[in-house]
Amino acid sequence: MFGLFRNKERDAQISRLYDQILAQSRDPVLFTDGRVPDTVEGRIDMMLLHLFLLMHRLHDEKGEIHELARGVCDRFFAELDRAMREMGVGDLSVPKKMRKVADIYTGCSAAYGKALMSTDKAELPEALLRNVYGRSEERRGEAKALADYVRRSSDILAGVPADVLVRDAIPFPSPPLTLGASA
């Protein structure tokens, strides 16, 4: 019954934005050249990173665009909850795991946002090394390349008006992650 009162256009926009975040977070280059661990955790890390990029861009927006951003975030966590249940995670464990993912998202978003605003260019690679690569010193080059990709993505998204961003395709750049890339 409550589905009758939903705004179908808004729901379609949320789905489209969510699908684009999901598609970009699954780019094989992230897991091959970028050497992000191809595990459930690594895939969630990439989903959270791309969700962060959109939320970071839309953070200060008001009205309908703010509601769309919130809807995308809600959709992300609802889909993750559903996926955990489908994977066989027990009903009593799902809320605890979802709280942990929400805490990780909050912490990563704060770290990535602070690092993007910092004049210290080493801050973002360090945050990514910690959060994506588990502090593995052998992954420092990949963390720098991923930081370059995150900066480029943030810069590109910042240059797109919010109404265009939510109406058209999210202009994520291709992630050319090579070991020799620098941030």
Side-chain angles (χ1 to χ4, degrees), residues 49 52-53 55-57 59 105-120 123-124 127-128 130-131 150-151 154:
L49 177 65
F52 158 76
L53 285 165
M55 295 300 108
H56 181 72
R57 166 58 186 90
H59 180 264
Y105 175 69
T106 301
C108 288
S109 292
Y112 300 157
K114 180 178 177 266
L116 280 173
M117 302 305 288
S118 176
T119 57
D120 180 0
E123 199 168 330
L124 185 56
L128 292 164
R130 236 183 359 261
N131 294 311
V150 170
R151 278 194 193 94
S154 181

Side-chain angles (χ1 to χ4, degrees), residues 79-93:
E79 290 296 326
L80 192 55
D81 180 283
R82 183 188 58 72
M84 282 186 192
R85 293 174 193 279
E86 284 181 2
M87 290 183 340
V89 175
D91 286 341
L92 297 176
S93 299

